[in-house]
Amino acid sequence: MGSKSALAYAANNVETGVVAANSSQLIVLVYERLFDHLKIGKKELENGRYAIESFTKAHDLIQQGLVACIDYQEGGDIAQSLGAIYEWSLREIINARVTKSPQKIQEVLDVLTPLYEAWISLAPQEPIPVLQAISSSNPAKVAAAY
């Protein structure tokens, strides 16, 4: 199977696995990809680069994967607090890019980590087989896709 065909097949399997996942598992996956991009971006900042691609992907994951999932009507104070944390994170990522501050990215990671850990405790413990197999084979390639 050619590499183009293999990538198309893998993409189809990832999509199928995502459809089979529950919402908690998907949020955990969003956090994991978000952390991947923030860590890559932090390293880039430490090396004097702007890490535009990594931070753009991180921004999109927060906006489209976390903020977009908040149900403000049903979630009450918790939803408001999560929204405020995510909006703060978006501002800090932009600020870190402008000031080239890896410390600000670390602060974002430090604030989001307990939320990620809470989602892990809420998510069903059985892994999503297709996503686990693909991500364990080449985590960098999977992170680059998101």
Side-chain angles (χ1 to χ4, degrees), residues 3 15 20 51 56 59 63 65 68 71-72 82 103 117 124 130 144:
S3 63
E15 185 175 313
T56 299
H59 186 277
Q63 270 300 112
D71 184 347
Y72 288 100
L82 280 174
Q103 296 81 13
E117 291 168 349
V130 172

Side-chain angles (χ1 to χ4, degrees), residues 27-41:
I27 296 294
V28 168
L29 289 173
V30 169
Y31 269 102
E32 289 172 352
R33 295 300 73 79
L34 171 61
F35 289 163
D36 290 344
H37 291 298
L38 288 176
K39 289 174 184 175
I40 291 168

Side-chain angles (χ1 to χ4, degrees), residues 86-105:
Y86 296 150
E87 293 298 328
W88 170 85
S89 298
L90 292 168
R91 285 191 307 274
E92 287 302 298
I93 290 169
I94 292 169
N95 192 7
R97 282 181 56 197
V98 170
T99 61
K100 285 189 153 184
S101 173
Q103 296 81 13
K104 289 190 183 298
I105 297 302

